Amino acid sequence: MAEQRQKIEDLTKQVDVLGKKIDAKGEDDAALVDIRTQLEAVDKSLLDSGVAFRPRLAEINSRIGQLGNPPAEGQPPEPEIVSNERQALATEKAEINVILGKAEDLSVRVNGQLNKVAALRRDLFTNMLTKRYELGTTLNGEVGQAVQSEFSRLYNSVSAWLRFVVQFKNRALVAATFFALVAAAVLQFGGRRVFGRLIKRDPAIEDPSYLSRLSVAFWSTLLPTLAMGVFLASTDVLYRYFNVLRGDIGVLLEGVFTIIFVSFFVNRLSHAALSPNKPNWRLIPIESRAARLLVWLMTVTALVVGLDSFMGVVSDTLSSPLSVTVLKSLIASLTVGVLLLLIGRVKPFVDATGAPRPWPAALRYFFYLVASATIVAALLGYVSFAQFVSQQIVVTGAMLATAYIGFLSGQAIADEGSFADTSIGRWLKSRYDMEETTLDQLGLAVSALINILIVVVFLPFILFQWGFQPGDMLVWLNKLATGFKIGSFSFSPLAIVTGLVVFVLGYFITRWFQGWLDGSVMARGKVDAGVRNSIRTVIGYAGIALAALIGISSAGIDLSNLALVAGGLSLGIGFGLQNVVSNFVSGLILLAERPFKAGDWIVAGAVSGTVKKISVRATEIETFQRQTVILPNSELINGAVGNWTHRNKLGRIEIPVGVAYGSDVKRVHEILLEIARGHPLVLKNPEPFVLFAAFGESSLNFEIRMFLSDIGNGSIVQNDIRFAILEAFEKENIHIPSPRRDVLVRTESPAQKWPLDDEKAEAEYLEHLRETAAAAAAAGRLARGRRKRPDPA
């Protein structure tokens, strides 16, 4: 408690000092960002102080609960030792609550100061944009003399520095310039050698694909711009390292570098997107003359914005009058507005008749609106607002355009079959013989990497343009690292990413160890293939489970908090996951007991085939018809399974043979035994055996029994033996009978057949009766006539 009490007192003093700094530096945005960073560190320290007392408070409350309530009036007093302990615990708890109360009060105060800093920064930004200057009063008649005086002081300052450098820092200047040029040469030529395919427009390709044009446009903008930025930064660092720069000259040199960087960036972007010299590589189908004009206008606009920024640096360095600063910003804003009007007036397209056609109406009116707003705001005295809009149009617009081209490139690479058509994809396919599916998956990965690269590179610069400070970035990164608290759940994106990275590393380490153990250790030890597969499978599941546990812990997730999840899983197992768990446990039993292994020939119910893979849920069996059967492990544990190759591949095959009655059975026995013994794959020990099996209905039945060293060759041996039996029986004139079958054909009268049509059958039956009756009547009449005829004798 003494340690935490002293810590809170020190933090209180620090908060008092920061509060005074807020009042003193309320107009400095960078200083306010630094103060906010320190206040958030104080707030975190206060939170740590509160957390430090949690274990002790839990112990005190638990002990007080064990002691129970003090005895009521009229009851026997409790022992003195219990009373003293209760009193000491209550006193300690009260002291802790006092310290926690002070920490909470200080935390409320810190949050109030953080809100004050946020309000001050918001007011600074708003005032900067909405501040209005009376141009008639500000730009008085003395502004010309002030401008002339400023340029004179700038010239004198630079001249004095150059004289000093020539006299005293000549060698240092030459060395710094030489190393900077070397760095530029390395970046220029090395970058072209490494990334030449990504930034080079091949003139031999008459109709490049959309992906190729996007890729070349994005990388030919990003890579040279990064190289230029590295060159300028290295130049500044080397000049400072060799003590060539003076304080004010260093600031001015950074302003010059800003002009160079912004102008170069916009020029590269416009060249990449419009490609004035190679029309077939343009992203926008415009005319060549319009493309060259637009590149020139965009570059000049960027140059004007860069000069405006540089002149602002000059004014701050030389403490120029307000009138000079306003005049320079006014001229720059009006110039940018006019240039935007000219860009909107360009007619880059042609219609069917060949006549020039302007931009689409929405884009053209957007240029007009922004240009008009810039010019009108500058003329009305809102010079800061006009200057801000000009900078965002050029710098932020160029960054967003480059990022958009990059996103389009990533999206195009992710399309099916696109990555395989790139130069890298063709190289990978020819070098490593990759399949189309693998290349598509690599395309998705490359697309994700490009998107991440774009966000990481461009987002900070865009935020800087909109008034954010590096301290803001540090605060956000700190929050990503420490996480957010939602209720009682702490969420840390960085910790989750760390956990995922740890899991991925553990996964690949497990796969590498599996391959090393299987290919190096067990393969050299001549370990059975089934045993190798079982060991590899167990190590794989154990390694992935261990990687998952380590990854979860690295993500900041307390495994003890998963008790509720485990309870839910138990409930699910009891109802819906019984079969899954049964198969899982059965798989572990199969891997441990190894009643069969990969490569064994097993028979499980109606399934017969070779075991290909044993996993924890199911076993993969390939039948002899090359059909893959996925059999749940519980069926293999609970049912009868026959294994032809359990301990070895030794097995017996039988071939039944029937001969006709009257054949010489002893000769048949000799022939069959001779054929069996003569086959090279039949074992001599145990020797083959011919059994006189039975007297059949039409044949005398024999059975050849043979043992093979590899039961998998049974079909081959049976095929050879049957061919040999036919040839031998043909030579010995021994017949193989076939069963005799007598076929009886029964004919039925139409009346006895089942009628297809009941009415028709009934009519035919009545007609048959009438015909029978008429025939009987005619026969009767004929008989009577014969009796009346006289006897010729």
Side-chain angles (χ1 to χ4, degrees):
M1 284 188 294
E3 179 183 353
Q4 296 299 326
R5 188 182 296 110
Q6 182 62 38
K7 181 179 179 181
I8 291 176
E9 290 178 359
D10 294 339
L11 291 176
T12 303
K13 295 177 181 179
Q14 185 178 357
V15 172
D16 294 338
V17 173
L18 292 176
K20 295 178 180 179
K21 286 185 177 180
I22 292 174
D23 297 334
K25 299 183 178 181
E27 301 294 329
D28 189 349
D29 186 68
L32 291 176
V33 172
D34 182 62
I35 293 171
R36 186 187 69 175
T37 303
Q38 298 181 47
L39 287 173
E40 290 184 346
V42 171
D43 192 37
K44 186 177 182 301
S45 299
L46 291 173
L47 180 62
D48 294 338
S49 297
V51 172
F53 284 112
R54 287 181 182 177
R56 181 55 185 162
L57 281 176
E59 293 177 1
I60 292 174
N61 293 327
S62 175
R63 183 57 182 162
I64 292 177
Q66 293 174 359
L67 295 176
N69 296 325
E73 295 183 3
Q75 294 183 353
E78 61 184 358
E80 184 179 359
I81 186 172
V82 176
S83 177
N84 294 337
E85 183 179 2
R86 179 182 286 109
Q87 183 66 27
L89 291 175
T91 303
E92 184 179 0
K93 184 177 180 180
E95 292 178 357
I96 292 176
N97 288 331
V98 170
I99 296 176
L100 291 178
K102 291 181 178 180
E104 185 176 355
D105 294 340
L106 186 59
S107 178
V108 172
R109 182 182 170 190
V110 168
N111 289 326
Q113 291 187 353
L114 286 172
N115 294 332
K116 183 178 180 180
V117 169
L120 288 174
R121 294 190 65 206
R122 185 170 53 251
D123 292 341
L124 282 176
F125 186 73
T126 303
N127 293 335
M128 186 270 293
L129 294 181
T130 58
K131 187 175 183 179
R132 183 173 181 271
Y133 299 96
E134 292 292 340
L135 298 182
T137 305
T138 305
L139 303 178
N140 51 33
E142 299 178 355
V143 68
Q145 296 179 358
V147 170
Q148 184 178 2
S149 174
E150 178 178 301
F151 278 103
S152 177
R153 285 187 294 161
L154 176 63
Y155 175 78
N156 293 332
S157 178
V158 174
S159 299
W161 172 72
L162 288 176
R163 287 193 299 270
F164 169 78
V165 168
V166 170
Q167 292 179 5
F168 302 102
K169 294 289 183 178
N170 190 13
R171 293 183 178 180
L173 177 65
V174 172
T177 306
F178 172 76
F179 287 122
L181 291 175
V182 169
V186 170
L187 289 174
Q188 179 70 16
F189 297 107
R192 285 189 174 275
R193 185 175 181 83
V194 176
F195 303 102
R197 293 184 178 182
L198 297 176
I199 63 177
K200 182 180 179 181
R201 297 176 177 85
D202 191 354
I205 302 177
E206 296 182 358
D207 187 17
S209 64
Y210 182 62
L211 174 60
S212 299
R213 287 181 287 154
L214 281 173
S215 178
V216 169
F218 175 69
W219 294 108
S220 63
T221 300
L222 181 62
L223 294 177
T225 303
L226 289 177
M228 176 60 72
V230 171
F231 165 66
L232 296 176
S234 62
T235 303
D236 183 69
V237 170
L238 289 172
Y239 278 7
R240 294 182 185 276
Y241 177 77
F242 287 102
N243 294 323
V244 175
L245 296 179
R246 211 169 55 200
D248 55 343
I249 299 300
V251 176
L252 295 177
L253 185 63
E254 291 177 354
V256 173
F257 286 171
T258 301
I259 299 175
I260 297 174
F261 182 79
V262 171
S263 303
F264 181 82
F265 175 40
V266 174
N267 182 265
R268 293 303 308 174
L269 175 62
S270 57
H271 266 281
L274 303 178
S275 186
N277 299 322
K278 295 179 181 178
N280 53 338
W281 286 92
R282 285 178 193 150
L283 295 179
I284 306 174
I286 62 176
E287 292 298 307
S288 298
R289 181 176 177 277
R292 287 189 289 269
L293 179 59
L294 287 173
V295 169
W296 183 83
L297 288 174
M298 292 178 182
T299 305
V300 172
T301 304
L303 184 62
V304 171
V305 171
L307 285 173
D308 182 30
S309 176
F310 173 71
M311 296 309 297
V313 172
V314 171
S315 298
D316 293 338
T317 304
L318 301 180
S319 301
S320 302
L322 178 62
S323 58
V324 176
T325 303
V326 171
L327 177 62
K328 291 183 294 188
S329 299
L330 177 63
I331 295 174
S333 301
L334 294 176
T335 305
V336 171
V338 172
L339 289 172
L340 290 175
L341 285 175
L342 293 176
I343 292 174
R345 292 284 298 171
V346 173
K347 296 180 179 181
F349 306 102
V350 293
D351 55 17
T353 61
R357 186 165 55 88
W359 296 103
L363 185 60
R364 185 169 70 254
Y365 292 146
F366 171 76
F367 282 125
Y368 290 163
L369 178 62
V370 174
S372 302
T374 303
I375 295 174
V376 171
L379 293 177
L380 290 178
Y382 296 98
V383 179
S384 298
F385 176 76
Q387 185 183 24
F388 179 78
V389 172
S390 302
Q391 291 179 353
Q392 304 316 313
I393 287 294
V394 175
V395 181
T396 305
M399 291 182 181
L400 290 177
T402 306
Y404 181 67
I405 293 174
F407 282 127
L408 291 179
S409 302
Q411 183 178 357
I413 289 176
D415 292 340
E416 186 175 359
S418 297
F419 184 71
D421 293 334
T422 61
S423 58
I424 298 178
R426 290 191 294 268
W427 179 78
L428 290 174
K429 186 175 182 180
S430 61
R431 179 70 180 272
Y432 300 102
D433 194 22
M434 290 187 175
E435 298 180 353
E436 295 290 337
T437 304
T438 305
L439 291 175
D440 285 339
Q441 293 174 350
L442 284 177
L444 292 175
V446 171
S447 174
L449 288 176
I450 290 176
N451 292 335
I452 294 174
L453 175 65
I454 291 169
V455 173
V456 170
V457 171
F458 287 97
L459 182 61
F461 290 104
I462 293 175
L463 293 177
F464 290 156
Q465 288 296 315
W466 284 84
F468 292 93
Q469 299 290 339
D472 297 318
M473 308 292 179
L474 295 176
V475 170
W476 296 339
L477 291 176
N478 183 49
K479 287 185 177 180
L480 287 177
T482 57
F484 306 93
K485 194 169 183 180
I486 303 175
S488 60
F489 178 72
S490 296
F491 174 76
S492 176
L494 185 60
I496 291 177
V497 172
T498 303
L500 291 175
V501 171
V502 169
F503 173 74
V504 171
L505 289 177
Y507 175 82
F508 282 110
I509 290 174
T510 301
R511 294 305 185 200
W512 170 82
F513 183 73
Q514 279 182 295
W516 174 79
L517 185 65
D518 184 36
S520 299
V521 178
M522 293 190 292
R524 294 181 181 180
K526 307 298 182 182
V527 181
D528 183 74
V531 178
R532 291 165 57 184
N533 178 73
S534 298
I535 295 175
R536 185 173 59 248
T537 303
V538 171
I539 289 177
Y541 284 114
I544 291 175
L546 182 62
L549 292 175
I550 297 175
I552 291 174
S553 300
S554 301
I557 300 175
D558 190 0
L559 296 178
S560 62
N561 294 333
L562 299 179
L564 183 61
V565 178
L569 287 176
S570 302
L571 185 62
I573 290 170
F575 287 96
L577 300 178
Q578 291 182 0
N579 293 332
V580 175
V581 175
S582 176
N583 291 325
F584 180 80
V585 175
S586 300
L588 296 178
I589 294 174
L590 290 176
L591 291 173
E593 291 187 355
R594 296 180 60 248
F596 54 82
K597 56 188 179 299
D600 281 359
W601 173 14
I602 67 171
V603 178
V607 179
S608 176
T610 304
V611 177
K612 290 297 182 181
K613 182 181 179 182
I614 304 174
S615 61
V616 293
R617 191 197 68 83
T619 297
E620 180 181 329
I621 301 174
E622 185 180 274
T623 66
F624 299 107
Q625 293 80 23
R626 291 295 185 266
Q627 179 190 27
T628 299
V629 179
I630 308 300
L631 203 61
N633 290 329
S634 58
E635 296 186 12
L636 298 173
I637 290 293
N638 299 325
V641 178
N643 190 346
W644 283 92
T645 56
H646 180 44
R647 292 184 175 85
N648 51 55
K649 294 184 178 181
L650 179 67
R652 193 187 76 180
I653 61 174
E654 298 86 16
I655 301 177
V657 181
V659 298
Y661 278 93
S663 302
D664 186 354
V665 292
K666 291 187 178 294
R667 180 58 182 160
V668 170
H669 182 275
E670 292 176 358
I671 292 173
L672 295 179
L673 191 58
E674 182 182 351
I675 291 174
R677 289 173 175 172
H679 198 283
L681 296 180
V682 176
L683 292 178
K684 306 301 180 183
N685 186 22
E687 64 177 357
F689 177 74
V690 177
L691 175 68
F692 192 167
F695 296 95
E697 295 180 358
S698 58
S699 64
L700 301 172
N701 297 332
F702 291 82
E703 185 177 85
I704 308 174
R705 298 178 179 178
M706 300 164 289
F707 287 88
L708 307 179
S709 60
D710 187 354
I711 193 64
N713 296 325
S715 299
I716 299 175
V717 175
Q718 288 175 334
N719 192 54
D720 295 341
I721 295 294
R722 290 191 179 100
F723 277 113
I725 290 172
L726 286 177
E727 292 177 0
F729 282 4
E730 186 177 354
K731 291 179 181 179
E732 296 290 337
N733 198 20
I734 298 174
H735 300 285
I736 299 176
S738 58
R740 179 178 177 179
R741 295 180 177 86
D742 295 331
V743 181
L744 299 177
V745 181
R746 298 179 58 187
T747 58
E748 300 177 354
S749 62
Q752 293 175 334
K753 295 181 180 179
W754 185 263
L756 299 176
D757 190 344
D758 292 343
E759 295 181 357
K760 181 179 179 181
E762 185 179 0
E764 291 178 351
Y765 181 68
L766 292 175
E767 182 66 24
H768 175 68
L769 291 178
R770 284 196 297 270
E771 291 178 355
T772 305
R781 288 194 299 272
L782 180 60
R784 288 194 298 272
R786 288 178 177 175
R787 287 195 299 268
K788 293 179 181 180
R789 188 176 299 173
D791 188 1

